[in-house]
């Protein structure tokens, strides 16, 4: 590399590349150190909350496949008080059959007229009778220790939301993962490092992933939250149905609640991903959601700068990622052109193009491989997919630019239900909510939703200093 930059005429090209490289790896080293220092919150004896008394699992879904049955059995192994499945009317029969085959005493199926994830989530929130609720995807498979580790975080009375670490569960029953699933696994490894680092650095996180995330029920029963959640528009024009986990995370930040992510084997969930090219459509949807949410956090709401400056800087860094990533190949291309067009002298002999290209690719593979070392320690066979990961990185950089200019597209992209005629979403009408409540009351009465907005967590500071856990539980315990 020193030989390549020996020509002072090329210094203007390679000096910026060196500076960018130094910054990128310094930033990664900081994240890696924070990840190594990070420690999860361990459950303690005499815990305030118990899963069989204080936890309801809410699952908005439009599916009733075999994966759902496996996931539901894993949730029941954690011994929650109740599991509430919310679906559209046409799926009621298949899901009730599924519930009957697993545990009809603990699983309740509710319906709303039309599939809309946010409305389904709100219906589940309003049917919840416990202090803690956990949103879970219908393919999220838990370990038996999951709820114990989630509840450990809520010993902090200002803890509003808790997330988990994640890994890939193969779609193939034999455990074989396609290249798409391996790439998803690479992304999750990097995500687990990033969320652990940000949690350690300043207690914040870019997003409490919707695959599994727990919240205090009283926060989400706030009418102000439910109105904003179900009337979320991008640029006051385009209705948002996906990105619900981003909204929830920003609500925790803007309303003074703490968040935490449990990154440890005991709180690790298994989730399936598309095992074909449709995975790219999922990534595109997630990328658009990230752009929208990060813009709101950084420039519209701006609470993130004061509460979680490390997370704010991470968001800014991601904005410039496509530029820094694509600058490398661009500068190498410029170098090759300069080599091909410059005069050859006895003291200046150009390197063969293949030499430069192969050296650059080897360097990229080495550096990308080092970043994925925690993944390869678990699944060493995945190293054969490192070239595909390298290609995906450059594809993803271009995709991020494309996503930036198509933020008005708010459809799911990888879901089966029809979105072409989707209208701006609104909260359930009084009649629809009454129908949901009647479905719940077939098993047990449910208290009505709270009627007044709840104050933010910071307004409780003085109260928290003078009360015990038990006294705090009294006003929000639903019997």
């Amino acid at each position: 590399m020193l030989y390549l930059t020996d020509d002072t005429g090329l210094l203007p090209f390679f000096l910026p590349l060196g500076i960018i490289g130094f910054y990128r790896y310094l930033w990664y080293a900081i994240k890696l150190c924070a990840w190594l220092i990070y420690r999860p919150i361990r459950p303690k004896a005499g815990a305030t909350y118990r899963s069989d008394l204080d936890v309801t699992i809410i699952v908005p879904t439009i599916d009733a496949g075999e994966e759902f049955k496996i996931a539901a059995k894993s949730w029941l192994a954690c011994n929650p008080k109740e599991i509430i499945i919310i679906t559209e009317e046409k799926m009621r029969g298949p899901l009730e059959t599924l519930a009957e085959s697993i545990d009809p005493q603990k699983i309740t199926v509710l319906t709303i007229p039309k599939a809309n994830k946010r409305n389904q989530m709100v219906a589940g929130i309003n049917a919840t009778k416990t202090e803690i609720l956990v949103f879970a995807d219908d393919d999220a498979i838990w370990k038996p220790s999951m709820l114990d580790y989630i509840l450990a975080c809520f010993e902090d009375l200002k803890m509003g939301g808790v997330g988990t670490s994640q890994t890939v569960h193969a779609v193939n029953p034999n455990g074989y993962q396609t290249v798409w699933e391996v790439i998803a696994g690479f992304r999750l490894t990097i995500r687990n490092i990033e969320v652990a680092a940000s949690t350690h650095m300043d207690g914040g996180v870019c997003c409490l992933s919707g695959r599994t995330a727990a919240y205090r029920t009283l926060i989400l029963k706030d009418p102000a939250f439910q109105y904003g959640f179900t009337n979320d528009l991008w640029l006051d024009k385009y209705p948002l149905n996906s990105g619900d986990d981003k909204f929830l995370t920003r609500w925790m930040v803007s309303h003074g609640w703490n968040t935490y992510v449990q990154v440890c084997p005991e709180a690790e969930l298994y989730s399936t991903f598309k095992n074909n090219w449709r995975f790219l459509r999922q990534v595109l949807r997630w990328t658009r959601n990230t752009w929208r949410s990060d813009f709101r956090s950084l420039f519209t709401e701006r609470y993130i700068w004061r509460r979680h400056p490390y997370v704010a800087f991470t968001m800014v860094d991601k904005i410039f990622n496509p530029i820094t990533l694509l600058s490398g190949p661009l500068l190498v291309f410029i170098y090759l052109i300069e080599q091909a067009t410059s005069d050859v002298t006895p003291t200046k002999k150009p390197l063969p193009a293949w030499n430069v290209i192969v050296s650059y690719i080897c360097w990229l593979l080495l550096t990308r491989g080092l970043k994925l070392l925690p993944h390869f320690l678990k699944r060493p066979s995945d190293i054969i997919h490192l070239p595909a990961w390298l290609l995906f990185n450059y594809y993803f950089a271009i995709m991020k630019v494309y996503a930036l200019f198509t933020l008005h597209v708010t459809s799911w992209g990888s879901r089966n239900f029809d979105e072409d005629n989707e209208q701006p979403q609104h909260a359930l009408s009084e009649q629809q909510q009454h129908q949901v409540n009647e479905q719940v009351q077939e098993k047990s009465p449910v208290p009505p939703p709270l009627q007044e907005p709840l104050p933010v967590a910071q307004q409780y500071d003085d109260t928290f200093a003078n009360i015990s856990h038990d006294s705090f539980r009294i006003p929000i315990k639903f019997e």
Side-chain angles (χ1 to χ4, degrees), residues 269-287:
L269 68 87
Y270 296 87
S271 181
T272 58
F273 291 81
K274 300 296 182 183
N275 61 350
N276 50 40
W277 66 271
R278 288 173 65 87
F279 170 71
L280 298 177
R281 298 177 67 177
Q282 283 185 314
V283 174
L284 178 58
R285 184 182 78 242
W286 298 333
T287 304

Side-chain angles (χ1 to χ4, degrees), residues 116 118-119 229-232 239-241 422-427:
N116 179 297
R118 296 201 186 196
N119 282 343
F229 188 61
T230 54
N231 293 273
D232 191 15
L240 300 179
N241 189 16
E422 184 170 344
Q423 300 299 317
Q425 59 184 0
H426 299 285

Side-chain angles (χ1 to χ4, degrees), residues 82 108 127 129 437-447:
E82 186 179 17
T108 301
K129 297 167 285 184
N437 289 342
E438 285 184 338
Q439 296 173 32
V440 179
Q441 288 170 357
E442 292 177 3
K443 299 190 76 172
S444 60
V446 178

Side-chain angles (χ1 to χ4, degrees), residues 69-357:
K69 182 180 293 188
I70 296 171
K73 290 180 179 179
S74 75
W75 305 331
L76 288 169
C78 296
N79 196 27
K81 182 175 182 180
E82 186 179 17
I83 298 175
I84 300 177
I85 300 172
I86 308 96
T87 188
E88 58 186 333
E89 189 60 42
K90 67 181 182 181
M91 288 299 298
R92 183 186 184 103
L95 283 167
E96 285 185 337
T97 301
L98 183 68
E100 290 287 336
S101 68
I102 302 174
D103 189 338
Q105 299 302 316
K106 281 197 173 184
I107 301 179
T108 301
V109 178
L110 307 180
T111 62
I112 64 173
K114 181 181 178 181
N116 179 297
K117 186 178 181 182
R118 296 201 186 196
N119 282 343
Q120 289 171 251
M121 292 169 72
V122 168
I125 292 167
N126 290 334
T128 298
K129 297 167 285 184
T130 57
E131 293 186 43
I132 306 296
L133 61 83
V134 183
F135 292 117
D137 277 0
D138 55 19
D139 63 346
I141 301 172
W142 294 359
K143 293 183 177 180
S145 54
M146 176 69 79
L147 286 183
D148 290 337
Y149 274 74
I150 286 177
L151 292 177
C153 301
F154 287 102
E155 295 297 316
D156 175 4
L157 293 177
K158 292 181 65 176
M159 187 64 66
V162 178
T164 67
S165 55
Q166 306 172 30
T167 192
V168 174
H169 177 70
V171 173
N172 189 306
N174 297 323
Y176 170 77
Q177 294 185 8
T178 66
V179 63
W180 306 104
E181 293 172 294
V182 173
I183 289 174
F186 288 161
R187 284 170 55 90
L188 288 183
T189 296
I190 293 174
R191 180 193 180 275
N192 289 337
I193 292 174
E194 289 179 344
V195 296
S198 65
T199 299
H200 173 76
M201 293 292 285
D202 64 8
V205 63
C206 292
C207 177
L208 292 171
S209 172
R211 292 189 184 99
T212 291
Y215 299 91
R216 291 192 186 274
T217 305
L218 84 166
I219 303 174
L220 306 190
K221 288 215 175 190
D222 180 354
F225 164 79
Q226 294 189 7
Y227 178 83
F229 188 61
T230 54
N231 293 273
D232 191 15
L233 302 177
W234 174 247
L235 300 179
D236 295 325
K237 182 178 180 181
Y238 303 103
L240 300 179
N241 189 16
S242 64
D244 49 275
D245 49 3
K246 299 282 188 181
F247 186 100
L248 284 159
T249 306
R250 293 200 315 274
W251 189 272
M252 298 300 115
V253 174
S254 62
H255 287 70
W257 293 97
N258 295 337
T259 58
Y260 205 88
V261 181
Q262 292 282 59
V263 183
C264 58
E266 297 86 352
E268 185 177 62
L269 68 87
Y270 296 87
S271 181
T272 58
F273 291 81
K274 300 296 182 183
N275 61 350
N276 50 40
W277 66 271
R278 288 173 65 87
F279 170 71
L280 298 177
R281 298 177 67 177
Q282 283 185 314
V283 174
L284 178 58
R285 184 182 78 242
W286 298 333
T287 304
R288 288 188 180 122
N289 287 335
T290 297
W291 275 121
R292 297 187 198 104
S293 184
D294 288 358
F295 282 152
R296 284 174 163 178
S297 293
L298 293 170
F299 307 119
T300 305
E301 299 169 357
R302 299 190 298 276
Y303 297 100
I304 196 76
W305 293 100
R306 175 172 52 85
R307 294 206 62 206
H308 306 298
Y310 176 88
V311 176
F313 186 81
T314 299
M315 292 177 178
V316 173
D317 176 72
K318 288 181 179 179
I319 291 175
F320 295 100
N321 265 358
I323 298 174
T324 58
L325 186 60
L326 296 175
S327 63
L330 178 62
L331 290 174
V332 170
F333 179 71
I334 293 173
Y335 172 77
L336 292 174
I337 293 177
E338 199 279 340
Q339 288 278 78
T341 57
S342 62
D343 296 331
V344 179
T345 66
T347 59
K348 182 183 177 183
K349 295 181 179 180
L351 288 172
W354 69 266
N355 192 319
V356 176
I357 294 173

